[in-house]
């Protein structure tokens, strides 16, 4: 009887400026292994999924401007989910990346009862806001290599005003948040297999209104940042260059993209060539920003307890709806000299043999990456 459960079911809710996404997972029930049935208890399958557009002005740059309108949008989205009807009001909800502060810090080994006060005191050196104006949390980051004589902690802070407006909107929608989580944490949970990497990875989330850069190594996030380059930017450039509507620009972008690795020197008469030419300013800017983040990371991090020769970023994983731009991985790989791949947000959800064929295509799944990461936390807890 679910209403007596001490561990209520929860779904993931990802709220951005122009859309919200809902995902609920359920325990994996399809037997794929006769020899190791116990291992399958850690797998999940999709129960419910949904998406709803948010009208401009309700959420701006991650800040809720109209709580009542957002609550109404959430209620409408809950009614429209595909798959199983949602029978729970408990939710794991996202908080906007651009409003958050994350930092890995070092602390002496202290008794648990003394650690929190010490973290609050130390966090004041890293957070550019008065400590009384933010919600602060932390987690201990275990080493991958070498024993520690100290503690590595990932601290996360976000202005109370931002969290309180999200909380108020969820309550107005009749929901009860079990936890809030910064987007980058959910993205890493979805994309990093077993949530550990022995070499640094750069995750790039190309969203509708912004792009996030997330560097993950060991067991933790190491660096996060965001830029206004986005799918919307791409559409605006195409619309202006080809003198078409934004809707037509979106259609052409999806249909033609950038072409393949051997096709970047287009003749301007081809449709792919025109789209590539239109997007050159944004693509150049994107490559430059990626290089700046990689350079900053390489020159500012030297304390990660990774194996020898595992200090440089080895791979880039793309996610978000904008990651589906045809030819983008090949273009970035050619420009950066790094392996660039589409992420798979099912790697910690489905059994290995099912990862490449989830119930919704991976190309569609990419825009649900954050929601899948949130839902995975809800399913596990």
């Amino acid at each position: 009887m679910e209403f007596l459960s001490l561990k209520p079911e929860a779904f993931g809710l990802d709220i951005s400026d122009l859309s919200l996404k809902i995902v609920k997972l359920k325990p994996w029930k399809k037997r794929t292994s006769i020899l190791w049935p116990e291992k399958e208890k850690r797998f999940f399958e999709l129960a419910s999924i949904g998406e709803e557009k948010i009208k401009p002005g309700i959420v701006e740059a991650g800040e809720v401007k109209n709580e009542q309108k957002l609550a109404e949008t959430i209620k409408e989205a809950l009614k429209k989910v595909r798959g199983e009807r949602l029978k729970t009001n408990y939710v794991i909800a996202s908080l906007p990346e651009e409003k958050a502060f994350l930092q890995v810090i070092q602390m002496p080994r202290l008794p648990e009862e003394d650690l929190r006060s010490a973290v609050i005191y130390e966090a004041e050196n890293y957070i550019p806001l008065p400590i009384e104006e933010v919600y602060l949390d932390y987690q201990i980051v275990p080493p991958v290599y070498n024993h520690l004589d100290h503690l590595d902690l990932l601290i996360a802070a976000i202005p109370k005003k931002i969290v309180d407006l999200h909380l108020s909107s969820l309550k107005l929608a009749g929901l009860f948040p079990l936890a809030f989580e910064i987007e980058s944490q959910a993205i890493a949970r979805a994309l990093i297999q077993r949530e550990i990497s022995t070499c640094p990875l750069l995750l790039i989330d190309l969203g509708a209104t912004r792009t996030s850069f997330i560097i993950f190594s060991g067991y933790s996030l190491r660096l996060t940042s965001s830029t206004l380059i986005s799918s919307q930017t791409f559409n605006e450039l195409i619309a202006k260059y080809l003198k078409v509507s934004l809707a037509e620009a979106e259609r052409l972008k999806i249909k033609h993209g950038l072409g393949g690795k051997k096709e970047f020197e287009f003749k301007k008469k081809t449709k792919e060539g025109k789209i590539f030419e239109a997007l050159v300013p944004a693509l150049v800017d994107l490559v430059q920003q990626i290089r700046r983040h990689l350079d900053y990371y390489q020159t500012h991090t030297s304390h990660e307890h990774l194996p020898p020769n595992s200090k440089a970023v080895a791979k880039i994983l793309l996610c978000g709806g904008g990651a589906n731009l045809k030819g983008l991985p090949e273009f970035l790989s050619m420009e950066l000299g790094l392996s660039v791949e589409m992420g798979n947000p099912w790697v910690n959800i489905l059994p290995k043999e099912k990862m490449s064929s989830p119930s919704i295509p991976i190309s569609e799944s990419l825009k649900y990456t954050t929601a899948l990461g949130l839902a995975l936390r809800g399913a596990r807890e």
Side-chain angles (χ1 to χ4, degrees):
M1 299 171 69
E2 290 181 11
F3 62 89
L4 292 177
S5 173
L6 296 177
K7 295 181 178 180
E9 293 184 337
F11 62 91
L13 174 62
D14 173 28
I15 300 172
S16 60
D17 285 7
L18 296 179
S19 70
L20 61 84
K21 297 175 180 67
I22 296 167
V23 173
K24 185 176 181 298
L25 301 174
K26 61 183 179 181
W28 181 265
K29 293 181 180 178
K30 300 172 185 177
R31 177 65 60 82
T32 60
S33 171
I34 298 175
L35 295 177
W36 308 106
E38 288 298 311
K39 288 185 178 181
E40 296 185 6
K41 290 184 178 180
R42 65 184 177 88
F43 297 127
F44 303 92
E45 58 186 316
L46 185 65
S48 314
I49 191 166
E51 179 182 16
E52 187 76 10
K53 290 183 178 179
I54 299 176
K55 292 180 180 178
I58 295 177
V59 182
E60 293 181 353
E63 183 174 344
V64 178
K65 299 294 186 180
N66 190 322
E67 299 155 79
Q68 186 61 50
K69 290 289 186 183
L70 179 57
E72 291 171 5
T73 305
I74 293 171
K75 287 180 180 179
E76 193 63 27
L78 295 174
K79 296 176 186 176
K80 297 179 181 178
V81 295
R82 292 175 279 157
E84 298 178 7
R85 182 174 66 86
L86 290 171
K87 300 177 183 179
T88 177
N89 292 332
Y90 291 98
V91 63
I92 310 290
S94 69
L95 290 172
E97 187 68 38
E98 67 263 46
K99 300 296 184 183
F101 308 98
L102 294 103
Q103 180 75 40
V104 176
I105 65 172
Q106 286 73 51
M107 297 288 293
R109 290 187 173 276
L110 295 170
E112 187 175 343
E113 59 270 19
D114 298 329
L115 185 59
R116 182 160 188 85
S117 58
V119 169
I120 292 172
Y121 179 80
E122 182 66 18
E124 292 180 328
N125 297 318
Y126 300 94
I127 298 169
L129 289 174
I131 202 73
E132 63 271 12
E133 293 182 11
V134 302
Y135 290 116
L136 176 70
D137 202 359
Y138 68 91
Q139 65 184 42
I140 296 174
V141 180
V144 174
Y145 181 81
N146 280 349
H147 180 72
L148 298 183
D149 58 359
H150 60 273
L151 292 176
D152 280 353
L153 303 177
L154 174 66
I155 58 172
I158 196 162
K160 289 181 177 179
K161 177 184 176 182
I162 300 299
V163 180
D164 291 346
L165 289 169
H166 276 73
L167 176 60
S168 175
S169 301
L170 294 179
K171 287 185 174 180
L172 287 171
L175 298 179
F176 303 94
L178 294 181
F180 284 105
E181 189 164 65
I182 296 166
E183 289 169 332
S184 55
Q185 295 174 295
I187 290 169
R189 181 181 303 109
L191 295 184
I192 308 296
Q193 195 159 27
R194 297 188 300 277
E195 297 180 60
I196 177 176
S197 178
T198 55
C199 59
L201 299 173
L202 172 59
L203 315 179
I204 302 180
D205 177 28
L206 290 124
T209 59
R210 60 183 171 81
T211 290
S212 295
F213 303 105
I214 305 159
I215 293 184
F216 183 100
S217 74
Y219 291 93
S220 175
L221 303 172
R222 299 292 171 171
L223 174 68
T224 65
S225 181
S226 61
T227 177
L228 293 177
I229 299 173
S230 64
S231 289
Q232 193 166 272
T233 306
F234 292 164
N235 291 345
E236 289 169 356
L237 287 170
I238 295 169
K240 183 178 180 181
Y241 191 84
L242 298 180
K243 296 180 174 56
V244 297
S245 67
L246 286 173
E248 177 65 6
E250 168 77 4
R251 188 189 72 80
L252 292 172
K253 181 186 72 175
I254 292 172
K255 181 179 179 181
H256 299 286
L258 304 179
K261 187 173 182 180
K262 297 179 180 179
E263 300 172 305
F264 293 130
E265 294 183 2
F266 293 115
K267 294 179 181 178
K268 291 186 178 180
K269 291 182 180 180
T270 67
K271 190 65 71 174
E272 291 91 343
K274 290 180 179 179
I275 291 172
F276 183 83
E277 289 292 325
L279 294 181
V280 162
L283 293 172
V284 169
D285 191 4
L286 180 61
V287 168
Q288 289 175 343
Q289 292 205 42
I290 293 172
R291 284 179 175 149
R292 281 199 293 271
H293 283 82
L294 293 173
D295 290 343
Y296 180 87
Y297 173 76
Q298 289 301 126
T299 56
H300 286 76
T301 54
S302 59
H303 188 92
E304 296 192 359
H305 305 284
L306 296 174
N309 304 317
S310 298
K311 307 297 185 183
V313 171
K315 184 186 294 185
I316 296 175
L317 297 178
L318 303 179
C319 67
N324 285 311
L325 179 62
K326 291 178 184 176
L328 183 60
E330 293 87 352
F331 173 79
L332 293 177
S333 180
M334 185 174 67
E335 291 293 317
L336 298 167
L338 286 173
S339 172
V340 181
E341 300 175 5
M342 306 292 269
N344 185 340
W346 299 93
V347 294
N348 292 317
I349 297 174
L350 296 174
K352 185 176 180 180
E353 59 272 22
K354 299 293 182 181
M355 282 180 201
S356 60
S357 57
S359 51
I360 58 173
I362 290 180
S363 58
E364 183 182 353
S365 305
L366 288 172
K367 67 180 180 180
Y368 290 98
T369 300
T370 302
L372 283 162
L374 296 167
L376 183 55
R377 175 173 175 176
R380 286 174 174 173
E381 294 184 2

